Structures are given as structure tokens and as C-alpha cells.
Amino acid sequence: EKQGYDWFMRKEIFEQPKAVADTLLGRLNERGELVLDELHIRPEELRRINKIIIVACGTAFYAGMVAKYAIEHWVRVACEVELASEFRYRDPIVDANTLVVAVSQSGETADTLMALRHAREQGSRVIAICNTNGATIPRESDAVIYTHAGPEIGVASTKGFTTQLVACYLLGLYLAQVRGMKYGDEIAAVLGELERMPQLIQGMLDKAPEVYELADRLKETQSMLFLGRHVGYPAALEGALKLKELAYIHAEGFAAGELKHGPIALVNEGIPIFVVVPPAGRDQLRDKVIANISEVRARGARTIVLAEERDEEAREHAAAFWALPHVSTLLQPLVAIIPLQLFACEMATRMGHDVDQPRNLAKSVTVE
Ligand code: F6R
């Protein structure tokens, strides 16, 4: 049932406040500690882990990229993220002290399944992050954290992605808690922030008309670029993937720091470039991104800037400005992705494409 929406995908985009809230439900006890009841791996085992490898495909892989930044910061354990299709065929180093995390909305993706089987054969423990109860990937894993997004019908993943992010954050915070992390206060603050996320995502959805208006202006465009640093980088990659999948427009995401190493050659007069600007912080991350925006702007790019509402400097460099609420850097993809999803959906709709069933794509890729 589309419940009044034109496409399942649009309905699913608008369901994200609830999907995120449902995925967070029941995870905190009365002392404000995180409980992951479904995670049947003993704390002693989690304390022994010396490496984490996240395996996934497509959008789930981008959620995994965000997770890497969060997990390494909170847990202080080396965390790699790898495309499941590459991991399986390169003789990776995994053993009993490696924790493998398989992220999959459907739980049936063949590449991810093969990667997790390979990891288990080497004696490593596997946690699945999955949206489908009883699917093959969670059944074959040692433990599972379910995302509670509800069925995702649109082929392009939207609420699947944001709930995967939430599950990844929860896993990171839980590992930090179990291992007696040094960022105790920060973790409590992050949990509080996660609780406010449904409301902040709703705030982004309320601004959909601004996004639709831009889609109208850009509908003749052949090629678009997406830039970000840190967790804004996977958000950029995911924004580009949505546009390729749905609107069949050439779209590429880059780490903003890579611009000068090649991609800046693509910048020509009028090319739309979406830039995710991190919140102002101590590490000058934001200033670096602002500098990147002015570089592409100087070469004629039409910059669509996603930055904090109060970031006046970012606004000055913007042909279009999409305001983000103030959240901590690591959580920013949860809000930054919303307008990018809406944009891709709207572009595709205006071009007359089938948004729920893009050409050549299947909802779950059960062959390698
Ligand atoms: C993109 C998309 C795909 C999936 C990928 C993994 O919108 O839907 O890239 O994310 O095929 O699927 P799951 O998460 O089911 O393993």
C-alpha cells in the first residue's frame, strides 16, 4: 500500500523518522546503558576482538564506511570496511579475534553471504545487521542486530540505509561500553542525540519542497558531482548512487580532499556539485571543505551546499543551500542523506522513470 504516495520509495523516505525510532526502541535500560539483547556473543569474546571488518554491498557498504569512522573513534579497535565481493576473493586476514559485521537490508545478498561464510570458516565471529527477520545472512551469523525499518519495497534503499546507520552506531557504542571505553561522557551524549534523530529527520523532510524546486531547475543536467570529507564522504557516495540508480544520470561521489588529485578536472561551467559540510569543530574539517567549495566555485560550478543552518560562510558559497540541524559530525549522515534521497527521487519522477523499479536492478542480488 502506497498510502497516498506516488511511489513506494517516496513513502519509504518519509517513513524514516519512524524507522529510525523503531530501530532505537528498547535499546536503553533505566540506567541509560545500552542493551543489545539479541546480540548473543559473550562480552568476554567482544573484549578479545582486535580487528573489525565490515562487509557489505552498495548502499549497505556506504553505511559500513560511516560505521568505520564511528567505531574506530569510540571503540579504538582497527576497523576495515570492504565490498563483500572483493573481500571474498582476496585471501583476507581473519581469525578468531576478528569480528566480522555483515550489513544487509535483505539478508539475501549473495556476495555478502559468501563473505560471511568465508569469515566463519576462518574461525571469526560474525554479527549481521539486517532488516529481514530470519533471512539467510542472519541465520548463518553468530548474532544479529535487526533494523526495524519495516519492509522496503522500493528497489533503491532509503530507510534501509538510515536504519543500518543507526544499528552500526549502536553496535559501536555497545562495543565501547563492553570494552570500558575512554569516551564515557561522549557516548551518553551520542545516545541522547540518537534519541532526537527522528525529530531532526522529520525537520529535513518538512523541507522537501526546497529540494523539489532544485530538481526542477536541474532536470536537463547530464552529470553531477558529490563531495564530502570524513563521514560526509560516504554520504556523498550514497547521494551519487541514488541519482545514478533512479535518474540514470552520471553522478560521482568524491572525498573532497581528492579533488586536486584528479576530479577537479571534471569541473566546468555550471556543473552541479553537492557538498556536505561538516559541523564546525576543533579539527578544521569544516574549514577544509569550505576551501574545497570555493575552489570548485571559482571554476564555475553550481554548488549545492548542505551545511548547518548557522554556517553563514558555507551559505555565501552556495548557489543553493540546504540547511542541516546541528548534530555531531559522526551522526551527520543521518540528516544529510535525506535531501539527497529526495532529490534523486524527484529527479527520476520528473524524468518519467519508474522510481520503484529502476531499469536493470533487482531488490536483492542473490547471484554473485
Ligand atoms: C542501492 C541498493 C543496493 C543495495 C545492495 C545491498 O539503493 O539498494 O546497492 O544496498 O544491493 O543490498 P542488501 O543491503 O540487501 O544486502
Side-chain angles (χ1 to χ4, degrees):
E1 259 315 296
K2 291 189 200 143
Q3 294 167 3
Y5 287 97
D6 51 351
W7 299 101
F8 279 109
M9 182 189 171
R10 203 184 310 265
K11 168 175 167 276
E12 288 161 4
I13 292 174
F14 279 87
E15 277 170 354
Q16 289 179 106
K18 181 170 188 306
V20 164
D22 288 349
T23 302
L24 287 166
L25 205 68
R27 308 286 196 188
L28 284 185
N29 67 17
E30 56 295 342
R31 271 168 301 170
E33 292 156 349
L34 199 55
V35 279
L36 290 181
D37 286 335
E38 341 101 279
L39 203 72
H40 302 297
I41 298 185
R42 282 177 295 135
E44 305 86 83
E45 285 188 67
L46 294 176
R47 279 193 278 270
R48 224 178 36 221
I49 297 299
N50 60 18
K51 181 161 81 171
I52 298 171
I53 305 180
I54 302 172
V55 292
C57 305
T59 289
F61 173 74
Y62 298 145
M65 280 179 77
V66 174
K68 173 189 161 76
Y69 289 87
I71 289 175
E72 287 197 340
H73 177 64
W74 294 331
V75 190
R76 306 308 295 155
V77 170
C79 178
E80 299 169 11
V81 48
E82 188 156 3
L83 292 168
S85 53
E86 288 296 318
F87 174 84
R88 174 63 189 85
Y89 295 101
R90 72 166 178 88
D91 197 12
I93 299 168
V94 264
D95 60 27
N97 294 326
T98 310
L99 177 68
V100 169
V101 182
V103 186
S104 174
Q105 188 284 128
S106 64
E108 301 294 348
T109 300
D111 286 313
T112 311
L113 181 60
M114 295 308 160
L116 93 80
R117 283 185 182 157
H118 183 71
R120 290 196 77 191
E121 280 161 17
Q122 320 298 307
S124 95
R125 298 298 229 158
V126 177
I127 297 180
I129 290 179
C130 184
N131 192 45
T132 315
N133 239 298
T136 313
I137 288 172
R139 272 195 282 116
E140 293 203 15
S141 299
D142 296 287
V144 53
I145 301 175
Y146 279 111
T147 50
H148 297 287
E152 193 178 58
I153 312 281
V155 163
S157 190
T158 52
K159 62 179 183 173
F161 177 68
T162 41
T163 56
Q164 279 162 355
L165 289 177
V166 170
C168 287
Y169 292 133
L170 290 174
L171 176 63
L173 294 171
Y174 184 74
L175 291 173
Q177 181 178 284
V178 165
R179 295 168 65 99
M181 66 300 160
K182 65 181 220 249
Y183 293 104
D185 290 348
E186 182 178 346
I187 284 165
V190 174
L191 283 169
E193 233 188 313
L194 279 174
E195 295 287 330
R196 289 198 304 281
M197 274 300 159
Q199 206 188 324
L200 299 179
I201 292 173
Q202 186 59 53
M204 297 304 298
L205 292 167
D206 292 342
K207 291 186 288 192
E210 290 174 38
V211 174
Y212 296 162
E213 194 253 331
L214 183 74
D216 192 47
R217 280 192 281 145
L218 295 186
K219 63 179 184 287
E220 305 297 318
T221 314
Q222 303 292 312
S223 174
M224 305 195 195
L225 305 182
F226 292 71
L227 300 179
R229 275 177 193 252
H230 196 270
V231 293
Y233 168 40
L237 292 171
E238 171 62 4
L241 178 63
K242 288 290 93 96
L243 200 61
K244 291 182 231 199
E245 284 183 294
L246 298 162
Y248 318 144
I249 289 175
H250 170 249
E252 260 188 278
F254 296 106
E258 276 289 294
L259 259 183
K260 293 190 193 60
H261 302 285
I264 202 160
L266 289 170
V267 178
N268 56 16
E269 189 66 36
I271 188 172
I273 304 191
F274 293 77
V275 191
V276 181
V277 181
R282 285 161 302 167
D283 53 6
Q284 289 157 13
L285 198 61
R286 172 192 157 279
D287 305 353
K288 294 266 178 348
V289 178
I290 301 282
N292 295 138
I293 303 176
S294 53
E295 284 155 16
V296 296
R297 191 87 166 137
R299 289 163 178 83
R302 203 148 143 189
T303 46
I304 300 97
V305 176
L306 290 78
E308 288 192 320
E309 178 100 60
R310 61 185 180 180
D311 193 335
E312 291 305 328
E313 201 185 352
R315 199 184 288 263
E316 276 168 32
H317 290 291
F321 184 81
W322 291 344
L324 303 177
H326 176 68
V327 294
S328 57
T329 305
L330 285 169
L331 301 191
Q332 200 195 38
L334 274 175
V335 287
I337 200 61
I338 306 295
L340 299 180
Q341 294 170 340
L342 287 165
F343 178 72
C345 182
E346 186 65 13
M347 284 290 288
T349 311
R350 282 172 193 258
M351 295 166 84
H353 300 322
D354 184 333
V355 175
D356 289 337
Q357 303 240 322
R359 69 184 181 203
N360 310 337
L361 294 177
K363 181 62 185 163
S364 106
V365 184
T366 53
V367 287
E368 279 184 77

